[in-house]
Amino acid sequence: MVNISITGNNFEVSEALREATHTKFQKLIRHTPDILNIHVSFTIEHLDQIAKVTLHLPGIEVYASETSDNIYKTLDGVIDKLEIQIKKHKDKRSG
């Protein structure tokens, strides 16, 4: 089982946001079963809602961040960025 740690900077992460984060990352984990752990950090700065993610795979660390005016939209965006980076990494390894 992959450890997903979630922290909030400048605010308390709600249970709904924690559940949404776990749900979204489960899909990514199903497609990339060699993920070792994931650290998600949410920050609110003025009107910006920021998600920063560090994801560990064997031999590599993948980092992505996203900013928007909605924390759930930010979560979707950061996962899209991670999927692209993981795909590039897999293509590089196999190609």
Side-chain angles (χ1 to χ4, degrees):
M1 179 153 177
V2 176
N3 178 38
I4 303 173
S5 85
I6 303 168
T7 59
N9 299 317
N10 304 332
F11 79 106
E12 185 71 30
V13 177
S14 69
E15 191 57 37
L17 181 55
R18 283 187 188 283
E19 287 180 22
T21 302
H22 278 278
T23 301
K24 300 277 185 181
F25 276 102
Q26 289 307 316
K27 179 182 169 200
L28 186 64
I29 292 166
R30 276 196 304 277
H31 291 100
T32 313
D34 54 343
I35 294 173
L36 302 172
N37 61 54
I38 301 168
H39 178 74
V40 184
S41 175
F42 292 106
T43 306
I44 296 177
E45 293 180 2
H46 305 290
L47 299 177
D48 292 333
Q49 301 192 19
I50 305 161
K52 296 179 181 178
V53 178
T54 304
L55 184 146
H56 294 94
L57 295 164
I60 188 168
E61 185 175 277
V62 180
Y63 173 80
S65 67
E66 179 70 18
T67 303
S68 79
D69 60 351
N70 178 289
I71 200 74
Y72 294 98
K73 190 164 59 170
T74 300
L75 179 60
D76 289 340
V78 79
I79 289 176
D80 290 345
K81 287 180 177 181
L82 287 167
E83 287 174 338
I84 291 166
Q85 288 187 45
I86 291 169
K87 183 180 181 330
K88 284 181 184 178
H89 174 68
K90 284 182 176 180
D91 290 348
K92 203 181 289 185
R93 276 193 346 206
S94 65

